[in-house]
Structures are given as structure tokens and as C-alpha cells.
Amino acid sequence: MSENCIFCKIVSGQVKSQNVHEDDDCVAFKDLNPQAPTHLLVVPKKHIPSLAAAVSGDEALLGRLQGAIRAIAKSQKLDSYRVVTNIGRMAGQSVDHLHYHVLGGRRLGWPPG
Ligand code: AMP
């Protein structure tokens, strides 16, 4: 847990969130500012500032997160969806705790802005 990290506070329950999934590794909850009819954030319980900051010991966790994303998308009945993680301010990262956006429920343009 990292002090002053909003997603650590969501993981610990200090800050309320609309959770759709929780397991030993991660929590998934609705984004406060949704960009699509379904917009979830999948967040590891471990504080990792971004994918770029993950270390080799995190590889198994990263793999399990991908599995959780797949299961969550299925439970949300998404067949087409996008999984995004922003790394760094220029890419739009605003919260320095690794998170995967799961977006679906509308046609998604490409390339992203
Ligand atoms: P990013 O800009 O890629 O770092 O994504 C951060 C996301 O977290 C944004 O889409 C925000 O809307 C979302 N967000 C920030 N605070 C909260 C919160 N307390 N509950 C739910 N979503 C949040």
C-alpha cells in the first residue's frame, strides 16, 4: 500500500467504489468518469506505479491480471472490448497505480486519440 494513492485506498476499502469483481490479486470497479457504456478499471492489490515499473517478480501477477480481465469481460457479457493501460503523463496516465481500463458497449475508434 502506498500512502495517498487513491487506488490503494479503493483496494483497502478506505475509499468507496462500485466493485464488480475482487480476488486475491485485484479489484475491478466502475470508472468514475466513464468513456463508454461499460468502463471498468482492473487494479492489482499490489501497488505498482505503472506497467513500466513492474519487475520480473511481477510477471506471474501480470499474467493472472490478464486472466481476471478475460473473466470479468465475460461476466459483463462483453464480446468486443478494449483493454488499455496508460503509462506516463503524455499517454494520459493520471493515477500512478497500475490499472487496466476495460471499455466496451459501443463502437471504439482506432487509432485512439
Ligand atoms: P488514467 O488517466 O489512465 O490514469 O486513468 C485513471 C482513471 O481513474 C480515470 O479514468 C479516472 O476517471 C479514474 N478514477 C480516478 N479516481 C477514481 C475513483 N475514485 N473511482 C473510480 N475511478 C476513478
Side-chain angles (χ1 to χ4, degrees), residues 7 31 39-44 48-54 62 65-66 69 81-103 110 112-113:
F7 288 173
D31 196 293
H39 185 173
L40 304 174
L41 297 173
V42 181
V43 171
I48 300 172
S50 77
L51 188 59
L62 295 175
L65 288 173
Q66 300 247 357
I69 289 167
Y81 56 98
R82 185 169 295 163
V83 180
V84 175
T85 188
N86 295 322
I87 301 165
R89 295 290 175 266
M90 287 281 282
Q93 184 177 9
S94 61
V95 177
D96 292 334
H97 181 130
L98 174 62
H99 51 284
Y100 295 92
H101 297 260
V102 179
L103 299 138
W110 191 264

Coordinates of all heavy atoms in Angstrom, one line a residue, residues 7 31 39-44 48-54 62 65-66 69 81-103 110 112-113:
F7 N -6.0 4.5 -5.6 CA -6.4 3.1 -5.9 C -6.0 2.2 -4.7 O -6.7 1.2 -4.5 CB -5.8 2.7 -7.2 CG -6.5 3.3 -8.4 CD1 -6.0 3.1 -9.7 CD2 -7.6 4.1 -8.3 CE1 -6.6 3.7 -10.8 CE2 -8.2 4.7 -9.4 CZ -7.7 4.5 -10.7
D31 N -15.3 3.0 -13.5 CA -14.6 4.2 -13.6 C -15.6 5.4 -13.3 O -16.8 5.4 -13.7 CB -14.1 4.4 -15.0 CG -13.0 5.5 -15.1 OD1 -13.4 6.7 -14.9 OD2 -11.8 5.2 -15.3
H39 N -17.2 0.8 -18.6 CA -15.8 1.3 -18.4 C -15.4 0.9 -17.0 O -15.8 1.5 -16.0 CB -15.7 2.8 -18.6 CG -14.3 3.4 -18.5 ND1 -14.0 4.7 -18.8 CD2 -13.1 2.8 -18.2 CE1 -12.7 4.9 -18.7 NE2 -12.2 3.7 -18.3
L40 N -14.6 -0.2 -17.0 CA -14.1 -0.7 -15.7 C -12.6 -0.5 -15.6 O -11.9 -0.3 -16.6 CB -14.4 -2.2 -15.6 CG -15.8 -2.6 -15.8 CD1 -15.9 -4.2 -15.9 CD2 -16.7 -2.1 -14.7
L41 N -12.2 -0.4 -14.3 CA -10.7 -0.4 -14.1 C -10.4 -1.6 -13.3 O -11.0 -2.0 -12.3 CB -10.4 0.8 -13.2 CG -10.7 2.2 -13.8 CD1 -10.5 3.3 -12.8 CD2 -9.8 2.4 -15.1
V42 N -9.4 -2.3 -13.8 CA -8.9 -3.5 -13.1 C -7.5 -3.2 -12.5 O -6.6 -2.8 -13.2 CB -8.8 -4.7 -14.1 CG1 -8.3 -6.0 -13.3 CG2 -10.1 -5.0 -14.7
V43 N -7.4 -3.3 -11.2 CA -6.3 -2.7 -10.4 C -5.7 -3.8 -9.5 O -6.4 -4.5 -8.7 CB -6.9 -1.6 -9.5 CG1 -5.9 -1.1 -8.5 CG2 -7.4 -0.5 -10.3
P44 N -4.4 -4.1 -9.6 CA -3.8 -5.0 -8.7 C -3.8 -4.5 -7.3 O -3.7 -3.3 -7.1 CB -2.4 -5.2 -9.3 CG -2.1 -3.9 -10.0 CD -3.4 -3.4 -10.5
I48 N 1.9 -1.0 -7.8 CA 2.9 -1.0 -8.8 C 2.6 0.3 -9.6 O 1.4 0.5 -10.0 CB 2.8 -2.2 -9.8 CG1 3.0 -3.5 -9.0 CG2 3.8 -2.0 -10.9 CD1 2.7 -4.7 -9.9
P49 N 3.5 1.3 -9.7 CA 3.1 2.6 -10.2 C 2.6 2.6 -11.6 O 1.8 3.4 -12.0 CB 4.4 3.4 -10.1 CG 5.1 2.8 -8.9 CD 4.8 1.3 -9.0
S50 N 3.1 1.7 -12.5 CA 2.7 1.6 -13.8 C 3.2 0.3 -14.4 O 4.1 -0.4 -13.8 CB 3.1 2.7 -14.7 OG 4.5 2.6 -15.1
L51 N 2.8 -0.1 -15.6 CA 3.4 -1.3 -16.2 C 4.9 -1.2 -16.4 O 5.6 -2.2 -16.2 CB 2.7 -1.6 -17.5 CG 3.0 -2.9 -18.2 CD1 2.6 -4.1 -17.3 CD2 2.3 -3.1 -19.5
A52 N 5.3 0.0 -16.6 CA 6.7 0.2 -16.8 C 7.5 0.0 -15.6 O 8.7 -0.2 -15.6 CB 7.0 1.7 -17.4
A53 N 6.9 0.1 -14.4 CA 7.6 0.0 -13.1 C 7.5 -1.5 -12.6 O 8.0 -1.8 -11.5 CB 7.0 0.9 -12.1
A54 N 6.8 -2.3 -13.3 CA 6.7 -3.7 -12.9 C 8.1 -4.4 -13.0 O 8.9 -4.0 -13.9 CB 5.7 -4.5 -13.7
L62 N 1.1 -10.3 -13.3 CA 0.6 -9.7 -14.6 C -0.2 -10.7 -15.4 O -1.2 -10.4 -16.0 CB 1.8 -9.1 -15.3 CG 2.5 -7.9 -14.7 CD1 3.7 -7.5 -15.5 CD2 1.6 -6.7 -14.4
L65 N -3.6 -11.2 -13.9 CA -4.4 -10.0 -14.1 C -5.1 -10.1 -15.5 O -6.3 -9.8 -15.7 CB -3.6 -8.7 -14.1 CG -3.2 -8.2 -12.7 CD1 -2.3 -7.0 -12.8 CD2 -4.4 -7.9 -11.8
Q66 N -4.3 -10.6 -16.5 CA -4.9 -10.8 -17.8 C -6.0 -11.8 -17.8 O -7.1 -11.6 -18.4 CB -3.8 -11.3 -18.8 CG -2.7 -10.3 -18.9 CD -2.6 -9.6 -20.3 OE1 -3.4 -10.0 -21.2 NE2 -1.7 -8.7 -20.5
I69 N -9.0 -10.1 -16.2 CA -9.7 -9.2 -17.2 C -10.6 -10.0 -18.1 O -11.7 -9.7 -18.4 CB -8.6 -8.4 -18.0 CG1 -8.0 -7.4 -17.1 CG2 -9.2 -7.8 -19.2 CD1 -6.7 -6.8 -17.7
Y81 N -14.4 -5.5 -26.8 CA -14.0 -4.6 -25.8 C -12.5 -4.2 -26.0 O -11.8 -4.9 -26.8 CB -14.2 -5.1 -24.4 CG -13.6 -6.4 -24.1 CD1 -12.4 -6.5 -23.4 CD2 -14.2 -7.6 -24.4 CE1 -11.8 -7.7 -23.0 CE2 -13.6 -8.8 -24.1 CZ -12.4 -8.9 -23.4 OH -11.8 -10.1 -23.1
R82 N -12.1 -3.2 -25.3 CA -10.7 -2.8 -25.4 C -10.1 -2.7 -24.0 O -10.7 -2.3 -23.1 CB -10.6 -1.4 -26.1 CG -9.1 -0.9 -26.3 CD -9.1 0.3 -27.2 NE -9.6 0.0 -28.5 CZ -10.0 0.9 -29.4 NH1 -9.9 2.2 -29.1 NH2 -10.4 0.6 -30.6
V83 N -8.8 -3.2 -23.9 CA -8.1 -3.1 -22.7 C -6.9 -2.2 -22.9 O -6.1 -2.4 -23.8 CB -7.6 -4.5 -22.3 CG1 -6.8 -4.5 -21.0 CG2 -8.7 -5.5 -22.2
V84 N -6.8 -1.2 -22.0 CA -5.8 -0.1 -22.2 C -5.1 0.1 -20.9 O -5.8 0.2 -19.8 CB -6.5 1.2 -22.6 CG1 -5.5 2.3 -22.7 CG2 -7.2 1.1 -24.0
T85 N -3.8 0.3 -20.9 CA -3.1 0.8 -19.7 C -2.3 2.0 -20.2 O -1.5 1.8 -21.1 CB -2.3 -0.3 -18.9 OG1 -1.8 0.3 -17.7 CG2 -1.2 -0.8 -19.7
N86 N -2.5 3.1 -19.6 CA -1.7 4.3 -19.9 C -0.5 4.4 -19.1 O -0.5 4.1 -17.9 CB -2.6 5.6 -19.7 CG -3.8 5.6 -20.7 OD1 -3.7 5.2 -21.8 ND2 -4.9 6.1 -20.2
I87 N 0.7 4.7 -19.7 CA 1.9 4.8 -19.0 C 2.5 6.1 -19.2 O 2.9 6.5 -20.4 CB 2.9 3.7 -19.5 CG1 2.3 2.3 -19.3 CG2 4.3 3.8 -18.8 CD1 2.9 1.2 -20.0
G88 N 2.6 6.9 -18.2 CA 3.2 8.3 -18.3 C 2.2 9.3 -18.6 O 1.1 9.1 -19.2
R89 N 2.5 10.6 -18.3 CA 1.6 11.7 -18.5 C 1.2 11.9 -19.9 O 0.1 12.2 -20.3 CB 2.1 13.0 -17.9 CG 2.3 12.9 -16.3 CD 1.0 12.9 -15.6 NE 1.2 12.8 -14.2 CZ 1.1 11.6 -13.5 NH1 0.8 10.5 -14.2 NH2 1.3 11.6 -12.2
M90 N 2.2 11.8 -20.8 CA 2.0 12.0 -22.3 C 1.0 11.0 -22.8 O 0.4 11.3 -23.8 CB 3.3 11.9 -23.0 CG 4.2 13.1 -22.8 SD 3.7 14.5 -23.8 CE 4.4 14.1 -25.4
A91 N 0.9 9.9 -22.2 CA -0.1 8.8 -22.7 C -1.4 8.9 -21.9 O -2.3 8.2 -22.2 CB 0.5 7.5 -22.5
G92 N -1.5 9.9 -21.0 CA -2.8 10.1 -20.3 C -2.9 9.5 -18.9 O -3.9 9.4 -18.3
Q93 N -1.8 8.9 -18.4 CA -1.8 8.3 -17.1 C -2.0 9.4 -16.0 O -1.2 10.4 -16.0 CB -0.6 7.5 -16.7 CG -0.7 6.8 -15.4 CD 0.5 5.9 -15.1 OE1 1.5 5.9 -15.8 NE2 0.4 5.1 -14.0
S94 N -3.1 9.3 -15.2 CA -3.3 10.3 -14.2 C -3.2 9.7 -12.8 O -3.1 10.5 -11.8 CB -4.7 11.0 -14.4 OG -5.7 10.0 -14.3
V95 N -3.3 8.4 -12.7 CA -3.2 7.7 -11.4 C -2.0 6.8 -11.4 O -2.0 5.9 -12.3 CB -4.5 7.0 -11.0 CG1 -4.3 6.2 -9.7 CG2 -5.7 7.9 -10.9
D96 N -1.1 7.0 -10.5 CA 0.2 6.2 -10.6 C 0.1 4.9 -9.8 O 0.8 4.7 -8.8 CB 1.3 7.1 -10.0 CG 1.6 8.2 -11.0 OD1 1.4 8.1 -12.2 OD2 2.1 9.3 -10.6
H97 N -0.9 4.1 -10.2 CA -1.1 2.8 -9.7 C -1.5 2.0 -10.9 O -2.6 2.3 -11.5 CB -2.1 2.7 -8.5 CG -2.3 1.4 -7.9 ND1 -2.3 1.2 -6.5 CD2 -2.7 0.2 -8.4 CE1 -2.6 -0.1 -6.2 NE2 -2.8 -0.7 -7.4
L98 N -0.8 1.0 -11.3 CA -1.1 0.2 -12.5 C -2.6 -0.1 -12.5 O -3.2 -0.5 -11.5 CB -0.4 -1.1 -12.4 CG -0.7 -2.1 -13.6 CD1 -0.4 -1.6 -14.9 CD2 0.1 -3.4 -13.3
H99 N -3.2 0.2 -13.7 CA -4.7 -0.1 -13.8 C -4.9 -0.4 -15.3 O -4.3 0.3 -16.2 CB -5.6 1.0 -13.3 CG -5.2 2.3 -13.8 ND1 -4.2 3.1 -13.3 CD2 -5.8 3.1 -14.8 CE1 -4.1 4.2 -13.9 NE2 -5.1 4.3 -14.8
Y100 N -5.8 -1.3 -15.6 CA -6.2 -1.6 -16.9 C -7.7 -1.1 -17.1 O -8.6 -1.4 -16.4 CB -6.2 -3.1 -17.2 CG -4.8 -3.7 -17.1 CD1 -4.3 -4.2 -15.9 CD2 -4.0 -3.6 -18.2 CE1 -3.0 -4.7 -15.9 CE2 -2.7 -4.1 -18.2 CZ -2.2 -4.6 -17.0 OH -0.9 -5.1 -16.9
H101 N -7.8 -0.2 -18.1 CA -9.2 0.2 -18.5 C -9.8 -0.9 -19.3 O -9.1 -1.4 -20.3 CB -9.1 1.5 -19.4 CG -8.6 2.7 -18.7 ND1 -9.4 3.7 -18.2 CD2 -7.3 3.1 -18.5 CE1 -8.6 4.6 -17.7 NE2 -7.3 4.3 -17.9
V102 N -11.0 -1.3 -19.1 CA -11.8 -2.2 -19.9 C -13.0 -1.5 -20.4 O -13.8 -1.0 -19.6 CB -12.2 -3.5 -19.1 CG1 -13.0 -4.4 -20.0 CG2 -11.0 -4.2 -18.5
L103 N -13.0 -1.2 -21.7 CA -14.0 -0.4 -22.3 C -14.8 -1.2 -23.3 O -14.3 -1.9 -24.1 CB -13.4 0.8 -23.1 CG -12.5 1.7 -22.2 CD1 -11.2 2.1 -22.9 CD2 -13.3 3.0 -21.8
W110 N -10.4 3.8 -33.9 CA -8.9 3.5 -33.9 C -8.3 4.3 -35.0 O -8.9 4.4 -36.1 CB -8.7 1.9 -34.2 CG -7.3 1.6 -33.9 CD1 -6.3 1.5 -34.9 CD2 -6.6 1.3 -32.7 NE1 -5.1 1.2 -34.3 CE2 -5.3 1.1 -32.9 CE3 -7.1 1.3 -31.4 CZ2 -4.4 0.8 -31.9 CZ3 -6.2 1.0 -30.4 CH2 -4.8 0.8 -30.6
P112 N -6.6 5.4 -31.3 CA -7.1 6.2 -30.1 C -6.4 7.6 -30.2 O -5.4 7.8 -30.8 CB -6.6 5.5 -28.9 CG -5.5 4.6 -29.4 CD -5.7 4.4 -30.8
G113 N -7.1 8.6 -29.6 CA -6.6 10.0 -29.6 C -5.3 10.2 -28.8 O -4.9 9.3 -28.0

